Amino acid sequence: SLPGHEQVFAVGDVAAVLSEGQPVPAVAPAANQMGEHAARGILADLTGRPRTPFTYTNKGDLATIGRYRAVAKIGRFEIVGGFAWLTWLFVHIMYLAGFRNRITVFVQWAYQYLTYQRGVRLITGTTAHRLLGTSRARERERRPGGESGHHAAA
């Protein structure tokens, strides 16, 4: 919870949390653990029990590094290549809520993989400025009376 505001909780990317003196990584599994811990804290408050300190448990590290390539460290095991990529795929699908979501994402990812489409599109730097300028120009065109948005008096 926030210092001085024990009734307010921050989890995930908005929280800078230490566990056993080390910063907790800004990844989804850590956010999930923080959310569960916040829920336990709320229940403890409601039932008059003391809160417990947060302890992060690293279940492993997974990262894709290319098409059908990934690296994984789970416990003392290190995996690379295609098997690590399949592990990454399986773990991410299984953390989705609901069977329908899992199937939908799996089908979308399979389609993107088979058609060589990129899964992520990032808009950064000059591209963002160009798109923003285009968006503003279109907005001005839509306004009656031109750029200022005021109608001329008749």
Side-chain angles (χ1 to χ4, degrees), residues 2 38 41 48-49 58 70 80 87 96 104 114 136-137 147 154:
L2 294 174
R49 293 176 295 142
N58 185 349
V80 296
T87 302
L96 293 174
T104 301
L114 294 172
R136 286 181 180 154
E147 193 166 323

Side-chain angles (χ1 to χ4, degrees), residues 3-154:
H5 300 280
E6 298 301 315
Q7 73 283 8
V8 177
F9 292 86
V11 299
D13 291 348
V14 300
V17 178
L18 296 177
S19 176
E20 299 176 355
Q22 297 295 317
V24 176
V27 294
N32 289 340
Q33 290 178 36
M34 288 181 218
E36 290 171 3
H37 182 74
R40 285 192 300 273
I42 293 168
L43 287 174
D45 288 352
L46 293 173
T47 58
R49 293 176 295 142
R51 293 184 187 173
T52 58
F54 176 73
T55 303
Y56 171 66
T57 303
N58 185 349
K59 297 178 182 179
D61 298 308
L62 299 165
T64 60
I65 56 172
R67 185 173 173 78
Y68 198 68
R69 292 187 183 98
V71 293
K73 184 170 189 213
I74 303 170
R76 53 192 171 110
F77 298 103
E78 293 183 6
I79 310 166
V80 296
F83 185 68
W85 184 81
L86 289 171
T87 302
W88 179 93
L89 179 74
F90 176 77
V91 166
H92 283 79
I93 293 289
M94 293 314 296
Y95 268 98
L96 293 174
F99 181 75
R100 181 180 290 178
N101 287 338
R102 291 180 185 138
I103 294 299
T104 301
V105 170
F106 178 76
V107 169
Q108 289 172 345
W109 285 358
Y111 178 78
Q112 290 172 350
Y113 181 81
L114 294 172
T115 60
Y116 290 86
Q117 291 185 4
R118 294 182 182 191
V120 175
R121 303 280 194 240
L122 296 177
I123 300 174
T124 61
T126 58
T127 303
H129 294 293
R130 181 178 48 79
L131 291 173
L132 185 58
T134 302
S135 175
R136 286 181 180 154
R138 286 184 184 152
E139 183 62 30
R140 283 191 299 269
E141 290 171 2
R142 281 190 217 126
R143 288 186 198 150
E147 193 166 323
S148 69
H150 298 292
H151 294 285

